[in-house]
Amino acid sequence: MSLKVYINGEFFDKENAKISVFDHGFLYGDGVFEGIRSYSGKIFRHREHIDRLYDSAAAIALTIPMTKEDLMAAVEETLKINGLSDAYIRLVVSRGMGDLGLDPNKCEKPSIIIITDAISLYPQELYENGLDIVTASTIRVSPAALSPRIKSLNYLNNILAKIEGDRAGCKEALMLNHKGEVAECTGDNVFIIRREEIFTPSIEAGVLEGITRNAVIELARNAGYTVHEMPLTRFDVYIADECFLTGTAAEIIPVVTIDSRKIGTGRPGPFTKELIAKFHTITGK
Ligand code: PXG
């Protein structure tokens, strides 16, 4: 059976799931999205993802022509129709079809798309041995220009850094902000551990407020750890005992080297391992 894709209230076979070339999501990256997971049929932090989607939309003056409840129901229905229980869900809302000019007023109806598919993960080996990453020279877009809190369809800033990571043989790359502070990776938030305390850049550093980031902060604090959300520099990462990344697809993944420097022992550390185990208890996997 072919995968079914939801487009504006209708389901299409994967092969026929098409959007107009006049859609401003395509022409200008004018739209917003979410990447969501379901574990054993249960959508992880569904409400948080929907809230973030509507916040991203509000920030770009895009009104999603559906209530949050109806959109959540449509996501559930798409999963069900595809018989998926452990899945990756891509929810996209673009400005819709317009003319060739920038004017969003020419776009009458936003396009709402829900794609569900099997999740593709980092290889298990990387969870056991950790990732090598590099710092990209491409800095994260300044919040004064375009807030990185908007999960928009324009990911060029991250893609340019991703290319740098890839050319250095790394699966992720660390991005600094306009002030030279640590921001986040191209599709993951970053955490470090030093002297048994946990640190992550604050949202004000100009990062996406990751749903996984928030879940990890919550579970670490509930376990009695001190979590600091504060400005961090590359130096802090270099001298950290442990480092890990968080994201919907990655969950929690250890980082063992950055810019060819070993972090801690150069092996995934005990705190990271404990947090990974705790995270699995909340996802049930
Ligand atoms: N920062 C950025 C820039 C992201 O794009 C995260 C952090 C983590 O946020 P969540 O809410 O997922 O914990 C993201 C999200 C991919 C892919 O295929 C990853 C994201 C988005 C789109 C695609 O790796 N990451």
Side-chain angles (χ1 to χ4, degrees):
M1 193 192 78
S2 167
L3 207 73
K4 298 266 192 285
V5 178
Y6 172 106
I7 306 177
N8 299 324
E10 285 182 64
F11 288 99
F12 296 86
D13 285 335
K14 185 178 178 178
E15 305 71 46
N16 300 320
K18 292 181 178 150
I19 287 290
S20 166
V21 294
F22 291 97
D23 193 301
H24 281 208
F26 175 72
L27 286 174
Y28 295 112
D30 185 356
V32 294
F33 78 102
E34 278 298 318
I36 316 173
R37 285 275 286 274
S38 74
Y39 295 93
S40 308
K42 190 172 178 334
I43 299 172
F44 184 71
R45 306 225 160 181
H46 198 181
R47 186 75 201 191
E48 281 92 329
H49 280 285
I50 296 293
D51 285 345
R52 188 172 67 183
L53 181 80
Y54 279 74
D55 287 347
S56 293
I60 68 163
L62 172 63
T63 306
I64 300 177
M66 227 173 150
T67 64
K68 289 184 180 181
E69 285 67 32
D70 286 349
L71 187 53
M72 286 168 81
V75 171
E76 298 276 10
E77 193 188 354
T78 309
L79 268 184
K80 206 160 144 217
I81 254 183
N82 286 298
L84 291 165
S85 65
D86 289 292
Y88 184 75
I89 303 155
R90 175 60 57 89
L91 182 48
V92 182
V93 182
S94 75
R95 191 77 65 181
M97 257 173 81
D99 65 17
L100 291 178
L102 269 77
D103 189 358
N105 296 318
K106 298 275 166 61
C107 307
E108 281 181 8
K109 191 171 72 108
S111 305
I112 302 179
I113 297 144
I114 307 168
I115 311 166
T116 56
D117 209 345
I119 170 98
S120 92
L121 300 164
Y122 281 124
Q124 181 56 30
E125 179 265 320
L126 293 175
Y127 289 89
E128 280 151 27
N129 297 323
L131 278 180
D132 300 312
I133 66 171
V134 284
T135 307
S137 66
T138 304
I139 63 162
R140 194 77 176 96
V141 67
S142 163
L146 176 68
S147 176
R149 295 184 67 176
I150 304 170
K151 202 160 166 62
S152 89
L153 291 182
N154 194 316
Y155 251 56
L156 272 180
N157 179 228
N158 311 61
I159 288 165
L160 292 181
K162 173 92 183 157
I163 290 169
E164 290 185 62
D166 181 63
R167 292 190 177 172
C170 296
K171 291 204 162 19
E172 253 300 6
L174 182 70
M175 300 183 78
L176 306 178
N177 69 13
H178 56 294
K179 294 190 269 186
E181 299 160 349
V182 171
E184 60 183 332
C185 286
T186 67
D188 297 294
N189 291 109
V190 62
F191 284 75
I192 56 175
I193 293 156
R194 167 101 166 150
R195 298 194 178 124
E196 309 193 351
E197 294 191 348
I198 302 171
F199 300 80
T200 192
S202 31
I203 299 307
E204 294 72 45
V207 303
L208 184 76
E209 187 173 353
I211 307 287
T212 321
R213 171 192 185 276
N214 289 351
V216 167
I217 292 174
E218 195 182 296
L219 76 80
R221 285 185 178 149
N222 286 341
Y225 292 116
T226 303
V227 183
H228 304 274
E229 296 175 69
M230 57 178 272
L232 298 173
T233 64
R234 257 206 287 188
F235 176 78
D236 297 308
V237 185
Y238 291 161
I239 64 159
D241 300 324
E242 299 181 31
C243 176
F244 62 85
L245 311 181
T246 65
T248 293
E251 301 179 329
I252 299 175
I253 188 154
V255 175
V256 289
T257 75
I258 178 162
D259 302 334
S260 308
R261 292 153 172 87
K262 256 191 211 173
I263 298 175
T265 61
R267 297 284 308 155
F271 285 86
T272 306
K273 285 182 182 164
E274 187 190 332
L275 290 170
I276 291 174
K278 283 199 159 51
F279 192 80
H280 288 160
T281 67
I282 62 171
T283 62
K285 283 283 139 181

